Amino acid sequence: MSEKLHLTPDDEFPDDLSTLPDQELQVLDSQVQRQLDYEYVAEGEPHPETEFRHHDIDEEFQERDNR
């Protein structure tokens, strides 16, 4: 997993989040959240891809909580 603090819409994103270990998913979530924060401040709204990724990660966390 990348050491970047932000995960821009152009950066690679896993196709299947269920294969990631918990720690990697948490890092990915942090990167996407930082990008969302940046987009709100810099652009006034999130990029659709970043918003989708954030939703996808939230769904994966919910699935793991339900297991």
Side-chain angles (χ1 to χ4, degrees), residues 1 14 16-25 28 60 64:
M1 187 63 44
D16 185 2
L17 297 176
S18 68
T19 62
L20 294 179
D22 288 346
Q23 185 175 356
E24 284 186 32
L25 184 62
L28 189 64
E60 180 59 30
R64 291 179 188 206

Side-chain angles (χ1 to χ4, degrees), residues 10-34:
D10 294 329
D11 290 333
E12 192 173 315
F13 189 79
D15 290 329
D16 185 2
L17 297 176
S18 68
T19 62
L20 294 179
D22 288 346
Q23 185 175 356
E24 284 186 32
L25 184 62
Q26 289 168 350
V27 169
L28 189 64
D29 181 47
S30 182
Q31 290 171 322
V32 170
Q33 186 61 54
R34 284 188 184 103

Side-chain angles (χ1 to χ4, degrees), residues 6-63:
H6 298 220
L7 191 71
T8 70
D10 294 329
D11 290 333
E12 192 173 315
F13 189 79
D15 290 329
D16 185 2
L17 297 176
S18 68
T19 62
L20 294 179
D22 288 346
Q23 185 175 356
E24 284 186 32
L25 184 62
Q26 289 168 350
V27 169
L28 189 64
D29 181 47
S30 182
Q31 290 171 322
V32 170
Q33 186 61 54
R34 284 188 184 103
Q35 182 64 25
L36 266 177
D37 293 345
Y38 167 78
E39 290 171 3
Y40 274 116
V41 170
E43 300 161 21
E45 64 183 13
H47 188 281
E49 183 64 22
T50 304
E51 211 169 28
F52 171 78
R53 290 173 174 188
H54 184 250
H55 178 74
D56 218 22
I57 291 170
D58 283 350
E59 282 187 341
E60 180 59 30
F61 277 127
Q62 187 63 44
E63 282 294 316

